[in-house]
Amino acid sequence: MKNVTAEGFAFFALLLGALSAWHLGPSPWLRYGFWVLLSVWVFAWLRARRCRFILVPLAGLLGAAAVARGADRLQVQQPDSAWADRPFLLLGRVVQQRETPFGRRLVLEKVQVLRPAVPFQLTRLVVYVPEQPPADLVAPTLRAWVRLRSVVAPRTVPHPMAALQQRYLPRWQGRVKSALLMRYEGKRGEVGPRDRLNPANRELVGLFSANGTAPLWRERLGWTGLGHLLSISGLHCGLFWLLLRFGLTPVRAPSVRLVLGCLGLLAFAGQMRWGDSVVRAVMFLMVFQVLGAGGRRRSWMRVWAVTAAVWLLLVPEALLRPGFWYTFAVSLGLVVGIGPRRPPSPLEHPWSPRLTGMRALIAAQVFALPVGLLFGPRLNWAAFVWNVSALPVLVLLLVLFLLACLGRWSDTVAGLANAVDALFESSLLWLRQSEGWGCEVRFPWSMMAVLVALTLLFVVLRCGGRERRWLLCALLVAGGRGYGRPWQGDRLVVLDVGQGSCALLTTAAGDGWFIDAGGRLPAGVNWGQVLRLYGVKRLRGGLVSHFNRDHYRFLETTGVTVPVWVPQRRYHEFLGRHAPANVAWQGVAAGAETRFGVFRLTVIWPSESYHGHNANEESLVVLVTTPAGQVLFPGDAGTLTEPAWAPAAQPGQRILIAGHHGSRSATGPSLLRRFRPQSAVFSCGANNVFGHPHPRVTARLAAAGVVCHSTATQGTLVLWEGDP
């Protein structure tokens, strides 16, 4: 057991070394010592029988060397900023498509850059096109001239892992401007029964037959914490392994059964396109089988540590992806949850052996809790309940998959599969009414914090006594629950929502008021979670400067009806069919004023006498007075009307939110002369297509001695906060 525990700690040291290298930056000199360190570590593992803990520091250095080696490979495989906005002739196979507000979204695989010659590779790419593929085209490929652009997720909440992913694994997407620059290729076929399956069933067929993506099913099951069922991983591989062993029962020769089992696992991995989680699970199962066939004592802990270490050394960038963390954290929880074998005791409860599986499942969920906070702000206690039903849900999905496969050749079975899917969807919608139950929000944790939490859980559950280990585990979970709690107190915050606008005013009592509520949020984060993270327990009201989705989009998902101020003359636009429902719109004009906690909000534009024809110039302009000074929110109003509403400078702090996201049509000289801001904030998206903030505006502000800040480069900004 001491040897196994030492190897477990060596794996955590390997993780620590790799995480330190990703966080601090890969060391150039370590990349040349990777093979030397690996040889020394293997020699120590084979020879150091009595002093196994020497493996721990060596593993830390080996992890840092693996990251240095992997970072060099990533630099060769990925494009850099110099290739942005340049045209490329691409050829790729269309594996997924759907309609979006920005055009038809295609996911391409096996992408080839035909022209010009480039030093990087694009194995998978998202492309927005003006035309969809023909319906009768089988397995279409796209040949098009595409302009690439780096996609930067908004930093609405501090997210250490997202920052590392953007640094080392940047996301790129392309856009085709004209249908004349693209062409679909492929064989044409007749519309058959397969096309009569609904989109959800088609996704299910692609998921279980070729490890395809399933966005519709992720939308259905993501809130339950069962999203791992929608990517082929250890649970699916384990189920396939059990079926394979059952099918090989008639084979009497152990060696033949072993070879056929390994070949079956490799064939399964190939069919699933060698996905990361599939390869890890297949490696684990194959090593476990080979050890048993060789007469070696099989230890789940040893197999787990060796498999994880090999994968980290081969693909160190796996540390930046959620699949690795969830797979190995849950696997480690299952292993240590069972606990070491001990001789039976007369004091042991008779039911204790029967609860071994339940203890393993609980430990796996405990290990998954900190990993969930590594990739999002949701602490889902209800996942304990949902994951108990993971296997029955997976069986239901497999039954529906079989029906969908048969529905390719039979209209009757296709109709039955669609009916079963509709029943399944309606049941999930009914259950979704309990979505908020058992969920809390916390600011995402750093990788180091998650590693510390997993290490402590491992020590407690591996080395603790029969009863003490679960008591200590409960204490650790209770202590971790207090880390990263939502903010409290009086505060004025400008959120990073990409190319949009949103600011929050919060009070110490938990009340909130928003100024605009539009833009884009990071994946896995919703508007309700953002409100709770920044201290809003009760939303009391808000203000939308003008009718544009980048200023009101979040209200489409607000479940609470609150009064929202809008321009009086544009009030009718907010009552149209494209406006969010369940919102109590209130038309206001210059002179409207309200007090909210320590803040005073005054509408200074537009006046009732103003009759313009530009919706931007009729934006609500709001002056927020804080205990420290004034903050001016001009919406999208620009230089055409600024002389009419620019407020006079008052003593104290003066902050200007640049109009129209920093466009050259706003923030003119007259506003700067009269308001005399000390600092300015640009609410815009990184690498946005509009070029905001405009160089003329930044130069004008610099000439006036104004300190500039931008959500695109700094993330969410706190403009004022009271005493805690």
Side-chain angles (χ1 to χ4, degrees), residues 189-202:
E190 297 180 358
V191 178
R194 177 180 180 275
D195 299 306
R196 294 189 176 92
L197 293 172
N198 62 19
N201 278 325
R202 293 179 190 174

Side-chain angles (χ1 to χ4, degrees), residues 12-92:
F12 280 105
L14 182 71
L15 270 178
L16 180 61
L19 291 181
S20 302
W22 283 124
H23 184 70
L24 302 175
S27 177
W29 63 271
L30 276 176
R31 74 182 68 147
Y32 304 109
F34 172 77
W35 294 108
V36 175
L37 287 171
L38 180 59
S39 302
V40 172
W41 193 91
V42 172
F43 178 80
W45 181 63
L46 293 174
R47 304 295 297 177
R49 297 292 182 182
R50 296 185 178 181
C51 187
R52 304 292 278 180
F53 282 94
I54 192 63
L55 300 174
V56 176
L58 289 176
L61 291 175
L62 187 59
V67 169
R69 182 169 168 268
D72 289 345
R73 185 178 68 255
L74 289 178
Q75 290 180 357
V76 175
Q77 293 178 349
Q78 297 176 353
D80 55 25
S81 57
W83 298 98
D85 294 324
R86 293 179 59 179
F88 298 91
L89 180 60
L90 302 182
L91 178 67

Side-chain angles (χ1 to χ4, degrees), residues 13 42 75 91 130 184 209 248 263 317 337 528 540 578 640:
V42 172
Q75 290 180 357
L91 178 67
Y184 291 106
S209 62
L248 294 175
L263 291 177
E317 62 268 22
R540 296 301 188 185
H578 297 294
L640 184 63

Side-chain angles (χ1 to χ4, degrees), residues 164-240:
L164 288 175
Q165 289 174 333
Q166 181 61 39
R167 180 179 175 184
Y168 294 106
L169 299 174
R171 293 172 52 215
W172 291 81
Q173 70 180 21
R175 178 172 291 277
V176 181
K177 289 190 174 182
S178 171
L180 300 177
L181 300 175
M182 56 180 287
R183 182 175 76 245
Y184 291 106
E185 301 174 352
K187 296 181 180 180
R188 297 188 179 273
E190 297 180 358
V191 178
R194 177 180 180 275
D195 299 306
R196 294 189 176 92
L197 293 172
N198 62 19
N201 278 325
R202 293 179 190 174
E203 283 188 1
L204 209 58
V205 171
L207 170 66
F208 288 113
S209 62
N211 200 13
T213 56
L216 288 177
W217 283 99
R218 287 199 175 276
E219 173 62 25
R220 292 180 182 181
L221 292 176
W223 63 275
T224 64
L226 296 178
H228 57 88
L229 298 180
L230 303 175
S231 57
I232 306 300
S233 58
L235 183 60
H236 307 76
C237 296
L239 186 60
F240 175 79

